[in-house]
Amino acid sequence: FLGVEEAKLQEVYATQLPLSVESMSLIHQREQLDEKIAEKTGCLNYTTSPWVPVGDKEGVQQRQINYKLNPQVCRFGSSVTCIQQKTLQEVTPTYVIDEVLT
């Protein structure tokens, strides 16, 4: 992830989701599907920016996501800013999506 080494991390969490390429394509290409998923998982005021190219890196795009955690899900009701970066893999026609939350 470009620029992640500059972040001051207090806690690191990593996970892999067993989703098919078709499922991920639907989530990131279908209008408002990711917003519906976020709403169901307790995210309020979920907004996304469009995917934009990252510098001169071919096949790399990023977007920003903002939302608040539902106080019923998280007792602090925190605001979240997230940057997602998707990178097209050269060997297979798939994307790797990395995400940094603050």
Side-chain angles (χ1 to χ4, degrees):
F1 194 89
L2 301 176
V4 76
E5 61 276 354
E6 298 170 8
K8 302 221 182 303
L9 303 175
Q10 294 180 354
E11 184 174 336
V12 175
Y13 173 75
T15 186
Q16 292 184 351
L17 301 175
L19 297 174
S20 68
V21 173
E22 292 82 14
S23 296
M24 286 304 296
S25 292
L26 283 174
I27 289 171
H28 290 285
Q29 290 177 359
R30 237 191 208 169
E31 187 176 325
Q32 298 180 336
L33 186 57
D34 58 339
E35 288 94 339
K36 291 176 185 177
I37 292 170
E39 181 182 322
K40 296 284 185 188
T41 58
C43 300
L44 306 172
N45 303 326
Y46 185 90
T47 60
T48 64
S49 67
W51 290 103
V52 294
V54 175
D56 59 352
K57 301 266 185 184
E58 190 171 326
V60 180
Q61 298 177 323
Q62 73 179 26
R63 70 177 182 170
Q64 183 171 325
I65 299 171
N66 297 294
Y67 58 90
K68 292 186 180 208
L69 295 174
N70 186 329
Q72 295 174 339
V73 174
C74 175
R75 66 180 175 168
F76 303 110
S78 300
S79 294
V80 176
T81 298
C82 166
I83 297 176
Q84 289 183 332
Q85 181 174 291
K86 69 178 179 179
T87 306
L88 181 62
Q89 299 300 294
E90 293 181 17
V91 178
T92 60
T94 59
Y95 282 102
V96 170
I97 297 179
D98 294 305
E99 188 170 70
V100 175
L101 300 164
T102 57

